[in-house]
Amino acid sequence: MGALTIIKPSNKGESIDLNYALVEQFLIEFLREEVTRVKGFNKIVLGLSGGVDSAVVAALGVKAFGAQNVIAIRMPHKMSSPSSLSDAVIVAEKLGIKLETIDITNMVEGYAQQVPGMSNRRKGNVMARARMIVGFDMAEALGALHLGTGNKTERLFGYYTWHDIADTGPVSPLGDLLKTQVWGLAKHLELPEVVISKAPSADLEANQTDESDLGITYARADVIIHHYLKAYSDHYIESLGFTKDEIELVKRKINATHWKRALPIHAMVSSTAIHEFYLRPVDFRL
Amino acid sequence: MQPRVFQVGILQLKPSKGKRAQNLEHLKTVMQELLSAGEKPDVLVLPEGALTGYFLQGGVRELAVTRDQLFEELEDLWREVWDAPLDVVIGFFERSDNDYYNSGMYAQLGGEHAGIKHVHRKVFLPTYGVFDEERYQSRGAGFEAFDTRFGKSAIVICEDAWHTITTTICALKGAEVIYIPSASPVRNLEGEEPSNVRYWHNLVSGIAAEHGVFVVLSSLPGFEGGKGLMGASALFHPRGHIVARAAILEEAVLISNIYLDEIQPARYENPLLSDLRAGLPGMIVSLEEALKWVR
């Protein structure tokens, strides 16, 4: 008799890796539907920050609408990292898209001069919202639609400025992809290595990185998020190799920021309150 | 004796949300294109919410129609473009007195016995996750098999089919062809195809093979508010394999013969339905016992 064959799979939890070719197909079709067929636009505008999220959206835009119909805008402030600007150029050249530069320093500083003592945090928020103004205005000027670039991890962590350029795009292809999945898609799309491998940063303050702000790496946070959202217990997630502190940190961030993922709150005084009693889907038209 | 064969045309068409008139026009155009291409299926099968879209929320109130109204609309359309009797299976939101249902109609348009052959009201209304059906629609009650020009048939709608007891009932009542209008939003993109496409095809393949029936899955394609509906309609053979299938997400028309005479050899080889009939009395006792767990 031969040696006994024992098959004993180890528990690694659910994989968060995706079939990125399928994701690409899905998101291209999504963009064509929502931008063109539903909203009637053939052109898109997006803020190209030099980071991976906007680079992926730009690449998907090129596949959906053609390079000539994707307009990328760099929006530097004098405090912005020079590498953000040069990385945006690398992405635009790789994709063959038009890259405009609109410096927001005067917008931001013009306001800042009127309110002395502005903290870095406040100024970062003003920068993010100044970019939102540019995004909408350039979309209007160019007859294009401004796309959102936010990913699921930052949405769940509330790690963005409410109503910034990434948050306000009427169509947002990455909002259900975790950050590590955005990286996976970026690799599949063969985006420049420099935007995939650099430390993610909102670049709203000097030497800022996402992972130091958040206190956990995306690689670890995303696995916890995935299992937490799918109703796995803390005990189960711990068994996958995560600490109680890490799990608590992720849950705390998610549960402190539900408001940020919702529309503004309206006082309900009737039995026909919009989104409470009167419910129609976003694409409902008679 | 004539072979028992007919041709089914699965119309995986994407409706514009809420635009019933426009969607009827689209259906008419597709029927005209079929005729121009020399195709003239005997039975056209459309998905769930075929003329309205699926995710309507409270918009069911504005878009639901009576079964008679839908039949008249289809008959008018048929009269304009088709020149022979035609059977249609279609998912629609039904208004009946003061209630709303997610229903599926089997109708014969034209011919000596024209009329509504059956309307099934969806029993299992998904009300979890992205779904919210029971908030807006009432449940149907039960499953029937009914006679058509093309074999004894049954309709189950979308989640109805995920409870395989439903198709078991249809098969026990004599259904040879089970039609499933459905609408399933794509999710979980880790595999070769979205996980719900794999699940649907595995599930329906099992239904077809277990009962020795043809199953026609007509599944809504396209996007509704960011949710991509899977499409991937398919015809399943009584031996369990897929005879033909459509791509995901996009519109498609799938035409195939259904040889009802292939049911008998499939059931001869795997007489599971016959076995089930024999064992049914004992199963009923077990089911009644299981009711104790329904609180």
Side-chain angles (χ1 to χ4, degrees):
Chain A
M1 192 173 149
L4 183 66
T5 302
I6 298 175
I7 299 167
K8 194 177 175 188
S10 60
N11 179 25
K12 294 175 183 165
E14 292 191 19
S15 168
I16 60 170
D17 204 20
L18 299 175
N19 174 353
Y20 293 106
L22 185 59
V23 175
E24 177 192 349
Q25 177 197 350
F26 185 87
L27 294 180
I28 290 169
E29 198 48 43
F30 162 80
L31 286 173
R32 287 177 179 153
E33 173 73 16
E34 296 299 333
V35 173
T36 303
R37 292 192 279 270
V38 174
K39 296 189 169 60
F41 292 91
N42 295 311
K43 269 192 279 190
I44 59 164
V45 169
L46 75 157
L48 197 63
S49 68
V52 70
D53 297 337
S54 59
V56 168
V57 174
L60 292 169
V62 167
K63 287 176 181 279
F65 309 110
Q68 71 281 11
N69 292 316
V70 178
I71 300 112
I73 308 172
R74 296 189 300 178
M75 289 172 264
H77 178 272
K78 65 181 181 185
M79 279 174 57
S80 300
S81 157
S83 68
S84 296
L85 292 173
S86 56
D87 291 345
V89 173
I90 292 169
V91 172
E93 285 178 352
K94 162 88 179 175
L95 297 175
I97 58 177
K98 192 171 178 185
L99 180 62
E100 307 273 6
T101 303
I102 296 173
D103 193 309
I104 61 166
T105 306
N106 287 344
M107 285 174 78
V108 172
E109 296 305 319
Y111 173 66
Q113 280 171 13
Q114 299 181 58
V115 284
M118 184 180 269
S119 66
N120 286 343
R121 181 188 175 85
R122 282 175 62 198
K123 190 172 277 192
N125 283 336
V126 172
M127 283 185 222
R129 293 193 177 109
R131 291 182 177 121
M132 176 269 291
I133 290 171
V134 173
F136 274 107
D137 182 61
M138 292 309 292
E140 178 73 21
L142 296 164
L145 196 76
H146 138 223
L147 290 197
T149 56
N151 65 65
K152 189 175 188 173
T153 308
E154 67 183 23
R155 288 180 70 208
L156 285 167
F157 279 175
Y159 185 66
Y160 57 97
T161 300
W162 205 33
H163 297 167
D164 71 1
I165 186 166
D167 182 34
T168 53
V171 172
S172 194
L174 306 185
D176 197 23
L177 290 177
L178 296 164
K179 185 74 177 188
T180 45
Q181 294 168 335
V182 175
W183 275 318
L185 183 56
K187 284 177 192 157
H188 166 77
L189 293 168
E190 298 180 337
L191 286 167
E193 182 57 31
V194 64
V195 297
I196 298 172
S197 57
K198 73 199 265 187
S201 169
D203 196 19
L204 296 175
E205 296 175 38
N207 303 316
Q208 184 182 26
T209 68
D210 292 6
E211 289 175 337
S212 61
D213 280 0
L214 295 170
I216 188 168
T217 65
Y218 280 117
R220 294 185 71 75
D222 284 351
V223 176
I224 297 172
I225 289 171
H226 176 87
H227 288 85
Y228 175 56
L229 263 55
K230 286 202 158 189
Y232 287 93
S233 67
D234 291 2
H235 181 71
Y236 181 92
I237 299 171
E238 268 186 69
S239 76
L240 301 177
F242 296 94
T243 66
K244 281 189 171 70
D245 286 347
E246 286 175 311
I247 297 165
E248 277 309 310
L249 182 148
V250 167
K251 286 168 59 178
R252 194 169 59 245
K253 286 183 183 299
I254 291 174
N255 287 309
T257 55
H258 290 293
W259 63 273
K260 220 167 172 178
R261 297 180 286 278
L263 292 167
I265 297 163
H266 299 269
M268 191 186 88
V269 296
S270 76
S271 59
T272 56
I274 300 161
H275 295 313
E276 305 289 354
F277 284 92
Y278 183 72
L279 298 159
R280 295 294 182 274
V282 66
D283 57 343
F284 190 80
R285 289 179 186 82
L286 289 179
Chain B
M1 194 170 160
Q2 289 288 318
R4 297 174 70 222
V5 59
F6 69 99
Q7 197 171 63
V8 68
I10 303 175
L11 304 187
Q12 182 175 298
L13 304 184
K14 179 195 175 324
S16 293
K17 178 68 63 74
K19 309 279 190 191
R20 289 192 80 258
Q22 186 180 320
N23 296 325
L24 276 164
E25 272 303 304
H26 183 42
L27 173 58
K28 186 168 115 182
T29 305
V30 169
M31 288 168 68
Q32 286 168 330
E33 286 177 6
L34 281 175
L35 291 176
S36 301
E39 301 290 352
K40 204 169 178 182
D42 299 299
V43 182
L44 296 180
V45 188
L46 289 103
E48 185 177 14
L51 297 176
T52 54
Y54 170 71
F55 289 102
L56 301 184
Q57 295 186 330
V60 168
R61 186 188 73 187
E62 281 97 3
L63 293 166
V65 294
T66 65
R67 58 182 67 184
D68 291 337
Q69 185 181 339
L70 177 64
F71 180 76
E72 281 173 28
E73 287 172 337
L74 293 172
E75 201 174 39
D76 289 347
L77 188 154
W78 165 82
R79 203 171 283 120
E80 280 186 66
V81 297
W82 216 259
D83 62 359
L86 172 68
D87 289 12
V88 175
V89 183
I90 184 167
F92 72 110
F93 290 96
E94 181 187 10
R95 183 166 57 77
S96 174
D97 298 325
N98 296 315
D99 293 321
Y100 300 99
Y101 299 93
N102 183 345
S103 299
M105 173 195 281
Y106 189 112
Q108 181 184 326
L109 308 174
E112 193 181 347
H113 301 291
I116 297 170
K117 299 298 170 187
H118 183 68
V119 174
H120 168 70
R121 290 171 171 167
K122 187 173 182 178
V123 174
F124 292 102
L125 303 173
T127 306
Y128 55 85
V130 71
F131 306 103
D132 208 9
E133 284 198 38
E134 199 150 14
R135 185 182 181 119
Y136 306 105
Q137 287 115 226
S138 302
R139 280 177 186 251
F143 297 86
E144 297 298 333
F146 50 92
D147 291 317
T148 75
R149 296 189 295 151
F150 306 109
K152 196 148 193 170
S153 303
I155 299 173
V156 302
I157 302 174
C158 207
E159 192 192 309
D160 284 343
W162 285 40
H163 304 272
T164 54
I165 193 169
T166 64
T167 47
T168 302
I169 292 167
C170 296
L172 285 168
K173 288 185 169 184
E176 298 169 291
V177 185
I178 296 176
Y179 295 96
I180 309 178
S182 75
S184 181
V186 163
R187 50 225 193 255
N188 302 326
L189 305 181
E190 67 276 4
E192 194 177 328
E193 292 206 286
S195 66
N196 57 320
V197 174
R198 294 198 306 275
Y199 190 90
W200 261 111
H201 285 183
N202 290 339
L203 178 83
V204 179
S205 173
I207 289 169
E210 181 181 348
H211 304 311
V213 292
F214 281 96
V215 185
V216 182
L217 174 66
S218 183
S219 171
L220 210 63
F223 279 82
E224 292 190 19
K227 297 176 279 292
L229 292 152
M230 75 176 206
S233 298
L235 171 64
F236 297 81
H237 189 272
R239 292 183 189 275
H241 60 267
I242 292 178
V243 178
R245 62 156 288 184
I248 62 167
L249 296 174
E250 59 194 47
E251 286 202 324
V253 175
L254 210 60
I255 297 174
S256 177
N257 285 341
I258 290 185
Y259 297 93
L260 292 172
D261 291 336
E262 291 176 357
I263 292 174
Q264 190 266 333
R267 290 186 185 179
Y268 178 76
E269 188 172 326
N270 287 313
L272 297 175
L273 189 62
S274 167
D275 277 1
L276 181 60
R277 284 199 178 101
L280 196 57
M283 297 299 291
I284 295 294
V285 172
S286 293
L287 275 173
E288 281 176 355
E289 287 171 356
L291 277 174
K292 291 176 194 164
W293 277 265
V294 179
R295 296 184 178 92

